[in-house]
Amino acid sequence: MIQSMSRGFEDFPVGTRLVSHSCAITTKDIIDFARRFDPQGFHLDAKSAEKTLFGGLTASGWHTAAVSMRLFIDAMNVSGGIVGLGVDELKWPNAVRPGDELRVETEILAARRSKSRPGYGIIRLYNITKNQRGEVVQSFMANAMLPARGS
Amino acid sequence: MIQSMSRGFEDFPVGTRLVSHSCAITTKDIIDFARRFDPQGFHLDAKSAEKTLFGGLTASGWHTAAVSMRLFIDAMNVSGGIVGLGVDELKWPNAVRPGDELRVETEILAARRSKSRPGYGIIRLYNITKNQRGEVVQSFMANAMLPARGS
């Protein structure tokens, strides 16, 4: 079975650490996302952003979250799918700016079989997104469900 | 001054409740977002989604979050900008499916002047996103900073 060759719950025991590939964020990426989902001056226009708290164009926190999800999904490489169950302590301690290159570091904090859904496991993870200087631009903890390989 | 005519911190005392306009989510919206940010079967393709836990195409939770941000920003209508400081207890208790119409309900839980940034206030808010049947598809609490009008 092809399914059984994919990574699953058993591949992410407590203490597992993953580092994603990196993703560059362009001015166009920032503005495109902001126009649709977070149309505020500091995310939309470099000139008007200069006069704000940020002193320049910055990505929406939800844009950072979305890019981080992509990096996380790619690093996990679970073809059966990962279902987010909830997120805690989502923070954006530093702004993401045009040209930044983001990378996600994941640590598995807990892992158990699902009681209600046989064949699935639930992991608790800590995800940190860093820029090219190693500064943290996002962090959160989350619970997620994913299929086990062996079932 | 035009700035002083915009809404600001003073307009959101504790207990304020806002309801956003609604936003319809199409199949194309779901797939476009997923291709870019959350490429998993249940977000990418209606046919393969039928065989998953969800039993059909569903929006990425981060897509729901992004749409909810847009609805929130529009409902707040603060031209000076709202800066998210952190999010707690982000949950997606029901799936968002093609054709769903989302609406955000916001309640202001706390409001105080910023000590470190004169002219700004910090609010704590509870945001719930509901679909057209009144089912909760997302909820979270957050702290956010916004400019005061009067300063």
Side-chain angles (χ1 to χ4, degrees), chain A residues 31-44:
Chain A
I31 293 172
D32 285 352
F33 189 98
R35 278 201 185 125
R36 184 137 195 209
F37 298 120
D38 195 352
Q40 305 202 81
F42 32 69
H43 304 319
L44 282 171

Side-chain angles (χ1 to χ4, degrees), chain A:
Chain A
M1 287 176 67
I2 291 168
Q3 179 70 18
S4 66
M5 295 167 62
S6 166
R7 301 218 283 183
F9 171 72
E10 297 90 331
D11 298 301
F12 303 98
V14 177
T16 302
R17 287 170 183 269
L18 301 165
V19 179
S20 77
H21 62 85
S22 69
C23 176
I25 310 293
T26 68
T27 297
K28 182 172 185 302
D29 293 335
I30 290 173
I31 293 172
D32 285 352
F33 189 98
R35 278 201 185 125
R36 184 137 195 209
F37 298 120
D38 195 352
Q40 305 202 81
F42 32 69
H43 304 319
L44 282 171
D45 179 74
K47 198 74 191 168
S48 65
E50 286 175 13
K51 289 171 265 172
T52 68
L53 278 184
F54 293 110
L57 194 71
T58 60
S60 169
W62 299 104
H63 186 189
T64 302
V67 169
S68 297
M69 183 64 181
R70 174 58 185 263
L71 293 169
F72 168 72
I73 287 295
D74 288 352
M76 292 287 285
N77 189 24
V78 172
S79 65
I82 302 170
V83 178
L85 301 175
V87 170
D88 285 309
E89 298 181 38
L90 174 58
K91 293 172 189 165
W92 298 290
N94 287 287
V96 172
R97 298 178 188 274
D100 279 359
E101 291 184 21
L102 305 188
R103 193 181 299 265
V104 169
E105 299 177 10
T106 300
E107 181 180 355
I108 307 299
L109 304 177
R112 64 172 176 83
R113 292 276 178 164
S114 170
K115 285 164 196 154
S116 57
R117 290 191 188 273
Y120 284 82
I122 294 170
I123 54 175
R124 182 161 182 81
L125 56 93
Y126 185 48
N127 258 8
I128 295 183
T129 309
K130 291 181 178 172
N131 64 22
Q132 68 280 11
R133 290 179 299 279
E135 297 160 346
V136 177
V137 297
Q138 179 179 280
S139 64
F140 66 78
M141 283 185 290
N143 292 326
M145 186 166 62
L146 71 175
R149 266 192 286 112
S151 57

